[in-house]
Structure formats: C-alpha cells, structure tokens
Amino acid sequence: MASAKRTVLFSKLRYRLLLYLVAALVFAMPLQNALEQHFIYFPEALHVATPARVSLGYEEINFSATDATQLQGWLVPGQSEAPAVLFCMGNAGNISHRLETLQLLHQLGVTVFIFNYRGYGTSEGRASEAGTYSDLAGAMKFLNERGWPAERIILFGRSLGAAVSLEGSLHRTPAGLIMEAPFTSIEAMGRHHYPLLNSLLGWLIGAKYNNLAKIADLEAPLLIIHGKNDRICPPNMAEELYARAPQEKQILWIPEAGHNDGFVVGGERYRDTLKQVIYSWTGCTTESEREA
C-alpha cells in the first residue's frame, strides 16, 4: 500500500514538474523576444531623409528576404564597370541615418545597395538573428539578379551589420568582407556591459551573432576597421577576431575613433584603405584609371 502511494505521489510530482517546465517555457519565449528587442534592436520606422539630401541619385528598391518578408532599400549607382558594395547597417535607426556613409562610398565610384532589416524603416516584420540573415541573403540575391555576381560584390557591415555580413559571407563568398566596429558575440557583449544582468538573464537572449565562432571559416579576404576609443565594442574584440581569421586579412586601427565615427574621423587613410581593398579584391578599375 505504501509503495502504491509513493508511486502515485511520484507521478503527481512529475506531472507538476512538467507543468512548471511548460509554463516556464511559455513565459520565457515572450521574455526572450522582449529582451532581444530591448537590448539588441533599436529600429525607427520614419525615414528622416533620402539620398537626395546629399545630392545622390538613387533607386527605391522593394525586394524579398529569402523567407518572403518584404523589405525596402536604396540602390545608389556608381561608375560603369565598378563593383557593388552591399552595406549592412548597425542596430539603431534605419538607412536614412547612413547618408554620410552612402556619400563616402559613392565618392569611391562604387554602386551601393543599403537596405532596412525587417522591422526597420518600411520593411515588414520584426528583427531577429535568423531574420537579419535572411534579409541579407535576399539583398544578395537582388544584386545577383541585377547583374552583379558574388565576385564583384563587397559585403560591408558596421557593428551589428558586421555580424550579419560575416554570416552572409559564409554562405556565398563575396569578393571581400569589411567588418567595421565588430564584436565577438552577443554573449561577450553582455558580459562586458551588463555582467550581473547577463549572469541572471543572459541565457534568455536567443540571438548569438557569434562572430568569433564563425570567422575561422571565412574564405573571402577580410578588412577589419576599429576605433581605439570604441567603448561599445572594445578594441580587444577586434583583436580576437583578427587573430582567429584566416588569411588574407588586414586591420585598420583608427586611434581617435569611437564606435560609429571611424568613417568621419578616419579621413583620407580610411577612404584610401577602402578604395584600395575594394578595387584590388574585385579586380576592377575606376573610370579615371581606365582613361589614363
């Protein structure tokens, strides 16, 4: 009789534990989404300007991510026969906050395609790690259909965009990859900025963006750009990534730069480095070089 009671009690306890586990998972999923949206993604829906504000001609592009989410971007044409730069922005605002970057890249002669991740600007959906990867794959497919094969495309990502562009480079090797102000992983960022909160709730963050685990598999040539005064993604993260990346690789340190101002304070050294790698990786020449 006692044995039978113990069996019944054990069954009830097991049932309750199962219920608690299910309840925990049910509540953890929305909490996970809430934490990711609070700590990782900071989208803005309203475009504050267009490339016309900085005297750039552009084409409004509506295209699909590989999971059919409808996205929006701008294509800024460059010189004939020049390569294309597919730019992946950081985690805040939208593409209208990157006009200075568009202007700088346009001055190098390249065609630039910049797009809003899902949930940013007028793009549909809600941002997630898998979603941003699907968004980039869709943008790459769009450029391929417009006549730019992978060997004439440079993937260029800044901050969060560096992680997105690295993932994209592993699936379809571009002519080269530029990672500006990259981090090693979301987990490492959590430990750096929120050590106590990360130890308690870090396991709930589903997004990993684990660049350090991926970069050794990169087959494209790599340029890392990082500011020595970066307080968001500390310089040692760039050093770790560079050390693990295979050849061909180079790193450009900008001593006076913080997290998102390297392209502003880097001056001619920044621009000359970009131009050199973009054209050498793709084997293209500028119009002035062809006319010489």
Side-chain angles (χ1 to χ4, degrees), residues 3 10 20 53-54 60 76 141 159 177 187 197 231 265:
S3 177
F10 178 74
Y20 293 152
R53 173 174 287 185
V54 290
E60 184 95 17
V76 178
K141 182 174 182 290
S159 193
L177 170 65
E187 182 183 1
L197 186 61
R231 298 293 182 262
V265 302

Side-chain angles (χ1 to χ4, degrees), residues 263-283:
F263 68 99
V264 177
V265 302
E268 289 298 320
R269 185 162 168 257
Y270 180 98
R271 290 186 288 274
D272 289 347
T273 301
L274 284 186
K275 186 173 183 179
Q276 187 273 322
V277 299
I278 287 171
Y279 283 95
S280 64
W281 287 345
T282 57

Side-chain angles (χ1 to χ4, degrees), residues 199-210:
S199 65
L200 295 173
L201 298 176
W203 63 277
L204 283 171
I205 302 291
K208 305 302 180 188
Y209 291 109
N210 196 338

Side-chain angles (χ1 to χ4, degrees), residues 215-222 241-249:
I215 199 163
D217 294 325
L218 180 66
E219 296 182 358
L222 170 69
L241 290 169
Y242 184 77
R244 188 167 294 188
Q247 298 289 351
E248 165 188 359
K249 61 183 177 182

